[in-house]
Amino acid sequence: MDDQLLINKFIDSLWLEAGLSKNTQSAYRSDLQKLSLWLLQQNSCLHKARREELLTYLAAKMKKGAKSTSSARTLTTMRRFYRYLLREQLVPEDPTLKIEHPRVQRSLPSSLTESEVDSLLDEPDKDLEIEHRDAVMLEVLYASGLRVSELVGLHLEQLNLQQGVVRVMGKGGKERLVPLGDAALDALKDYLSAVRPLLVVGGGQSVVFPSLRGREMTRQTFWHRIKLYAQRSGIRKNITPHTLRHAFATHLVNHGADLRVVQLLLGHSDLSTTQIYTHVAKARMQRLHSQHHPRG
């Protein structure tokens, strides 16, 4: 039984049953292809893999410096894959059943202060069409907390400028409405009328933020654009594609937003994913207490 064929069938099932995003599907595919290659070197294959081999593979990854988060994701992939094979009666048993999940130390996401966000958002030169586009993308990202993949994949029909909201299809095909706020809404209206028409190549393109070629921008391209503006504005922090999303959530919590509201805005299916931001609020309260309490 060909490993690649099994992987393809599994990925197809993910799309049909769970509606997982292309990025998630790609991550699953990558994990399984790496495992398949390693098993091949051990004279084995995916549908014949034993628990001991999978444990050895995970240990080898850790020895090479893989973080616990990476190993946990790999194990999640393997579990989902072998449950699919078992359900389809392609393997006699699930070799991942008695493999324990590695303990993942949940750290606070990298974020920016409000003044750093202001500096970043003010950095693009709006006299340049491309930088004007980037400025609006940064404004919308910080105002809405969208995932970068959701931002670059945004199409005109998802915008409701009259109501000031954007309709987003998130992970697992779950739809949510996210308000934009006055600053982002005004910037978006100005961009759509004055700048976007100059960037669109050919008619019928509906992508809101087209690339230089008039197509949908990649996440990696936008990440490089963010890093460029961070460098120009003097921000020395490690900027990731999710930095402004984390800043959005952090600043909401710091200003008293209810965690359930933040969960809805971020599109988290489980509140436990959002609860990491309670540590942000706790740290802020402790800092304020020590600064202002007479016995702090």
Side-chain angles (χ1 to χ4, degrees), residues 77-88:
T77 299
M78 292 193 300
R79 279 185 172 157
R80 196 159 190 171
F81 175 68
Y82 282 107
R83 283 173 189 167
Y84 164 77
L85 294 187
L86 187 64
R87 190 187 71 200
E88 297 296 315

Side-chain angles (χ1 to χ4, degrees), residues 245-261:
R245 177 171 159 88
H246 293 319
F248 163 82
T250 300
H251 299 166
L252 277 176
V253 171
N254 277 346
H255 286 276
D258 182 86
L259 213 57
R260 289 279 182 187
V261 174

Side-chain angles (χ1 to χ4, degrees), residues 198-218:
L198 303 175
L199 299 175
V200 176
V201 177
Q205 294 287 342
S206 66
V207 64
V208 176
F209 301 111
S211 68
L212 285 171
R213 297 182 179 181
R215 301 172 186 169
E216 187 175 303
M217 192 188 307
T218 65

Side-chain angles (χ1 to χ4, degrees), residues 13-238:
S13 77
L14 289 180
W15 179 76
L16 288 169
E17 297 169 15
L20 297 183
S21 69
K22 289 182 180 179
N23 295 329
T24 304
Q25 293 175 44
S26 296
Y28 276 119
R29 185 184 294 278
S30 175
D31 286 343
L32 291 172
Q33 286 175 335
K34 289 174 184 176
L35 173 60
S36 173
L37 180 60
W38 183 87
L39 287 170
L40 182 64
Q41 294 168 347
Q42 317 304 313
N43 297 316
S44 184
C45 57
L46 288 174
H47 75 281
K48 291 182 180 178
R50 295 174 288 108
R51 174 177 174 270
E52 293 75 17
E53 289 175 317
L54 299 183
L55 280 169
T56 303
Y57 174 69
L58 290 171
K61 278 176 62 72
M62 295 288 282
K63 192 173 181 180
K64 286 184 178 180
K67 295 181 180 179
S68 57
T69 50
S70 174
S71 296
R73 194 194 77 176
T74 300
L75 179 55
T76 297
T77 299
M78 292 193 300
R79 279 185 172 157
R80 196 159 190 171
F81 175 68
Y82 282 107
R83 283 173 189 167
Y84 164 77
L85 294 187
L86 187 64
R87 190 187 71 200
E88 297 296 315
Q89 299 182 340
L90 297 171
V91 292
E93 60 183 15
D94 179 358
T96 69
L97 269 181
K98 294 184 179 179
I99 299 180
E100 291 186 8
H101 234 81
R103 292 188 177 182
V104 178
Q105 183 67 37
R106 301 195 73 182
S107 57
L108 287 175
S110 173
S111 187
L112 297 172
T113 65
E114 292 180 38
S115 61
E116 286 172 334
V117 169
D118 288 339
S119 297
L120 184 64
L121 267 56
D122 289 339
E123 184 56 39
D125 183 354
K126 291 185 180 179
D127 289 332
L128 303 174
E129 294 161 5
I130 292 299
E131 295 206 9
H132 193 142
R133 176 205 65 189
D134 295 343
V136 179
M137 292 182 78
L138 292 171
E139 191 74 56
V140 170
L141 193 61
Y142 179 58
S144 62
L146 297 183
R147 297 177 178 90
V148 173
S149 57
E150 295 168 345
L151 178 74
V152 298
L154 207 58
H155 285 250
L156 294 174
E157 60 267 23
Q158 294 175 252
L159 303 178
N160 187 326
L161 300 180
Q162 187 173 0
Q163 294 185 6
V165 297
V166 57
R167 177 171 49 83
V168 182
M169 191 68 72
K171 289 186 175 181
K174 294 179 180 176
E175 187 177 279
R176 70 186 191 278
L177 287 176
V178 183
L180 288 173
D182 292 340
L185 190 58
D186 289 343
L188 191 55
K189 287 178 179 178
D190 179 51
Y191 160 79
L192 290 174
S193 62
V195 179
R196 183 182 174 276
L198 303 175
L199 299 175
V200 176
V201 177
Q205 294 287 342
S206 66
V207 64
V208 176
F209 301 111
S211 68
L212 285 171
R213 297 182 179 181
R215 301 172 186 169
E216 187 175 303
M217 192 188 307
T218 65
R219 292 179 304 151
Q220 290 77 12
T221 297
F222 185 57
W223 182 15
H224 289 308
R225 303 296 294 173
I226 293 178
K227 290 172 77 72
L228 169 67
Y229 297 125
Q231 186 179 33
R232 276 171 32 181
S233 62
I235 298 172
R236 297 291 174 256
K237 292 180 179 177
N238 180 35

